[in-house]
Amino acid sequence: MSDTFLHGRTALVTGSTSGIGLAIAQALAAAGARVAINGLGSADQVAAAIAAVDAAGNGGAGSASTKHFSADLRDAEAIDAMMAELSAWSGGGVDVLVNNAGIQHAVPLAQMPVQKWNDIIAINLSSAFHAMRLAMPAMAARGFGRVINIASVHGLVASKDKAPYVASKFGIVGLSKVAALEYAAQGSRESGGITVNCICPGWVETPLIEPQIEARMHGGSRDDGVRNLLAEKQPSLRMTLPAEIAALAVFLCRREAHNITGAALPVDGGWTAQ
């Protein structure tokens, strides 16, 4: 029998119709939480994501099953409306907030379109701020809450041609530290307390990077392509699976993790150890 320690809890995972976000939503559902998802996609993609999370567990069936919120995370008013609707749906607000939504556009700083800068900062950083400011007071009132912000190795080190992405990820690490300090004394060991942490992945194996792997195979195997892709920065030469990021997120939700807060946890195969 799986450990459904989050039974009775509600979680919101943004950017969760695919990839890392969907893996986290499924893992939280398997741990017993009722999960709300948010993200882009066709009606079929959203339906498939809902079905995947429901199949993982998701705290019940019928009215308690997975709900998709389509809020545009560039719009603060849309986030306000989503959080109000989610509070009504959950009966008091979320216990676990995972800010995973993110976009990127890679060109030199001087060539970065202003609108791309604005969109990346809005989705990767400002949306997390708005969700946190609305969710965390209710967490404090209950004595339990978990905020997990999916940052990046680029929240710890920089790379060329990624100015807004790196700025947003450094920003979310700083935002998380401030929130962690402000809420550190809320709750107790018994209630679980309120914690705020970042997970900082390096290379993660998702369909989006398959073209980059194929371009580096040079007639060899897919494993050769992976090693060639990672050789510059990730010493392990192994990518992380989305389910492995999800497993760390679930661990951070455990009561025993009540004193892990304000951390930026690299999952990067030694990238930032260099």
Side-chain angles (χ1 to χ4, degrees), residues 190-206:
E190 289 71 28
S191 70
I194 292 65
T195 69
V196 186
N197 292 291
C198 285
I199 298 176
C200 300
W203 286 103
V204 179
E205 190 161 337
T206 65

Side-chain angles (χ1 to χ4, degrees), residues 90-167:
S90 65
V94 297
D95 303 285
V96 178
L97 171 63
V98 182
N99 290 302
N100 169 75
I103 60 172
Q104 185 174 171
H105 185 72
V107 296
L109 187 149
Q111 299 170 26
M112 185 66 65
V114 170
Q115 192 58 52
K116 286 293 185 183
W117 170 276
N118 291 340
D119 288 348
I120 291 169
I121 296 298
I123 292 172
N124 296 13
L125 177 58
S126 297
S127 71
F129 160 73
H130 291 301
M132 289 165 66
R133 71 177 174 81
L134 294 166
M136 295 190 74
M139 292 179 181
R142 289 190 293 271
F144 176 86
R146 295 291 185 265
V147 178
I148 301 166
N149 292 323
I150 307 304
S152 167
V153 66
H154 285 118
L156 304 172
V157 295
S159 291
K160 295 188 300 181
D161 300 338
K162 298 179 181 179
Y165 187 79
V166 171

Side-chain angles (χ1 to χ4, degrees), residues 5-59:
F5 70 97
L6 287 175
H7 182 74
R9 305 289 191 187
T10 300
L12 168 65
V13 185
T14 68
S16 52
T17 51
S18 63
I20 293 171
L22 179 56
I24 292 172
Q26 290 175 283
L28 292 172
R34 179 171 51 170
V35 181
I37 63 173
N38 157 269
L40 303 175
S42 66
D44 286 346
Q45 289 171 319
V46 170
I50 290 173
V53 178
D54 276 340
N58 208 29

